[in-house]
Amino acid sequence: MSAWPLVHEAVLDPTIEPFVKVHGEPAYSYYGKMPEMNGLMRKAMSGVSVPFMTSVLDSYNGFKGVKQLVDVGGSAGDCLRMILQKHRFIYEGINFDVPEVVGEAPSILGVTHIGGDTFKSIPAADAIFMKWVLTTWTDDEYKLIMENCYKALPAGGKLIACKPVLLDDSNESQRTRALLEWDIFVMTIYRAKGKHRTEQEFKQLGFSAGFLHLRLYRVLDY
Ligand SMILES: C[S@@+](CC[C@H](N)C(=O)[O-])C[C@H]1O[C@@H](n2cnc3c(N)ncnc32)[C@H](O)[C@@H]1O
């Protein structure tokens, strides 16, 4: 909470986040040093992701043909658990997150937890799932994560990124307002230059990392 009074400073100087000004380090490394914060973050992600994934899995069928799936930034592994329960043909799941998070994750049948850093390398699999990860990073960091995803996949492999897509022109709708409000949250806590992106921006960043085709599936008007 102590970062919020500094929110305007992220606009004046986007090179340093309000969270860093207050705590002296970025949010994820701060959580990693505080088991209680880390536990709260895992719990919060489960709380929002479980109902959300139930709806996604009702309408999205792009996992067909996948045998090994890595969930990048998968937190405690809830998303992967739900995907594997629904799609029994996926015989191997890898839940990849920072060591402090996977170290506390529960064991899940068919899932191996691997600790690491998306900016260094990502475990190989024939498809990658990544939900609610890219918004918190700058364009350069986003590109680096995408390059590491590209390296982790075989030719023709698939990256399934689950993200809200911003309209080209912002409007007065509740959805646009909610996404832009969320940008302010990201700007304050994670990265002053992190943001939601449009379809065209996703396409360009993916293209610059080697992903030549982008197919958009709309689920939940998301
Ligand atoms: C917003 S949470 C999303 C969690 C999960 N994908 C979900 O939708 O429930 C972002 C996740 O990225 C992880 N993360 C942050 N930096 C990372 C890094 N450098 N390498 C691997 N994981 C990272 C965090 O620990 C966190 O679990």
Side-chain angles (χ1 to χ4, degrees):
M1 290 308 289
S2 40
W4 282 99
L6 304 183
V7 63
H8 62 291
E9 294 192 16
V11 179
L12 299 173
D13 176 11
T15 59
I16 176 159
E17 290 71 33
F19 188 97
V20 175
K21 279 194 177 153
V22 171
H23 296 288
E25 62 183 317
Y28 286 121
S29 59
Y30 178 82
Y31 301 159
K33 289 182 187 138
M34 315 232 339
E36 198 190 343
M37 277 300 300
N38 218 5
L40 271 176
M41 177 69 182
R42 279 195 318 272
K43 244 181 163 171
M45 291 325 303
S46 296
V48 284
S49 287
V50 169
F52 180 83
M53 280 306 288
T54 304
S55 302
V56 168
L57 289 168
D58 277 347
S59 49
Y60 177 71
N61 67 357
F63 292 104
K64 256 187 206 144
V66 172
K67 296 189 177 71
Q68 301 162 297
L69 182 68
V70 56
D71 185 357
V72 171
S75 191
D78 288 290
C79 299
L80 202 48
R81 173 176 53 75
M82 294 173 76
I83 296 168
L84 264 61
Q85 269 167 4
K86 164 116 191 194
H87 300 300
R88 301 279 177 184
F89 48 80
I90 306 176
Y91 65 78
E92 188 185 0
I94 297 164
N95 183 46
F96 181 69
D97 206 296
V98 295
E100 296 82 0
V101 168
V102 292
E104 296 295 321
S107 66
I108 302 170
L109 193 66
V111 172
T112 308
H113 294 292
I114 296 186
D117 181 357
T118 41
F119 294 108
K120 294 195 175 135
S121 68
I122 287 169
D126 57 39
I128 292 173
F129 179 71
M130 186 160 47
K131 174 163 97 52
W132 298 347
V133 168
L134 296 166
T135 307
T136 49
W137 303 112
T138 65
D139 283 351
D140 287 344
E141 289 165 331
Y142 181 127
K143 189 170 167 238
L144 184 53
I145 295 174
M146 294 294 273
E147 283 168 355
N148 285 338
C149 285
Y150 191 83
K151 284 184 208 154
L153 291 168
K158 189 194 265 192
L159 165 62
I160 302 166
C162 182
K163 305 279 325 143
V165 179
L166 211 56
L167 293 176
D168 290 336
D169 297 315
S170 51
N171 57 27
E172 288 295 312
S173 70
Q174 210 175 355
R175 181 178 183 277
T176 300
R177 290 164 73 100
L179 291 182
L180 296 177
E181 274 170 28
W182 199 247
D183 274 355
I184 296 172
F185 170 75
V186 166
M187 184 173 97
T188 309
I189 307 297
Y190 291 104
R191 277 285 185 264
K193 287 187 173 176
K195 58 180 178 179
H196 286 102
R197 293 172 171 94
T198 62
E199 180 177 353
Q200 197 51 32
E201 287 171 323
F202 281 122
K203 215 174 223 167
Q204 272 165 4
L205 285 164
F207 198 82
S208 67
F211 290 97
L212 303 185
H213 306 288
L214 171 92
R215 219 184 306 166
L216 201 69
Y217 289 87
R218 284 196 185 278
V219 288
L220 307 165
D221 191 24
Y222 179 62

